Amino acid sequence: MSGVAGRISTVAAAIVLITLISSCGLVGGKETRVTESSHEIRDQCNRTLNFFENILGITDTAIGYGSINPEDKIDRGAMCTVTKSSVGVGGTRLSAMLSPDSEPAPVRGDPSYIAQTGYDDKVWLNQSPGSVRIYTTVDGWEGSLDLNVDQINQVSITSGEQPNFEVSDHEVRAAAKFLIELTRELT
């Protein structure tokens, strides 16, 4: 009887071990591991500001670092806010994902985010007359870009300018490509 009991406990131990290994993502599928970026937040913000000014043509913008030190590393995630007259008008966010196959949390189950085609990586778009939000996933990282058209035009009004900022389909496509490159290069 002790021989049978020993074999049963050995089989039970093997089943437990296999279950533990597979639940940790080491067998089958992609390994889920969180990585860290050694790039500085300043790198992300400089690229974001350059895109807003030179590609989108939004003038008189700056980076609102707040209490964030621009020399800090992105590590597992960082946010960059673009301001115009000290008002946040958009920005980017990078964050490591726990599961490389999952959709970003804001996209999951939200029908206003539409999956886009024609890109090497997954892209979702939520566009209304007043804002554009884009998400992408690249190599286990999530990137997002927000552009608040209403805020840009409101700041223009308070500055005595004509509120005429609109986002074209070409600019949306350029923003998605920029976000993919930013996510890929800084993570």
Side-chain angles (χ1 to χ4, degrees), residues 26-60:
L26 300 174
V27 175
K30 293 184 179 178
E31 180 181 335
T32 56
R33 61 185 166 90
V34 177
T35 58
E36 294 181 358
S37 171
S38 61
H39 292 276
E40 291 182 355
I41 294 172
R42 178 188 319 275
D43 295 336
Q44 175 185 349
C45 291
N46 286 345
R47 291 177 186 209
T48 301
L49 184 63
N50 183 52
F51 177 77
F52 273 64
E53 289 181 338
N54 296 324
I55 304 302
L56 297 178
I58 304 169
T59 59
D60 302 323

Side-chain angles (χ1 to χ4, degrees), residues 72-98:
D72 283 349
K73 303 295 182 206
I74 292 172
D75 290 329
R76 293 184 182 182
M79 187 171 107
C80 181
T81 302
V82 176
T83 64
K84 183 173 175 74
S85 299
S86 300
V87 175
V89 295
T92 58
R93 179 184 299 261
L94 300 174
S95 52
M97 299 176 67
L98 295 177

Side-chain angles (χ1 to χ4, degrees), residues 95-136:
S95 52
M97 299 176 67
L98 295 177
S99 173
D101 294 327
S102 68
E103 294 177 334
V107 170
R108 199 174 309 123
D110 187 341
S112 59
Y113 282 94
I114 309 299
Q116 303 296 293
T117 59
Y119 300 99
D120 292 337
D121 295 285
K122 294 179 181 178
V123 174
W124 296 267
L125 172 66
N126 178 347
Q127 184 174 9
S128 68
S131 69
V132 174
R133 290 189 176 88
I134 302 170
Y135 278 87
T136 189

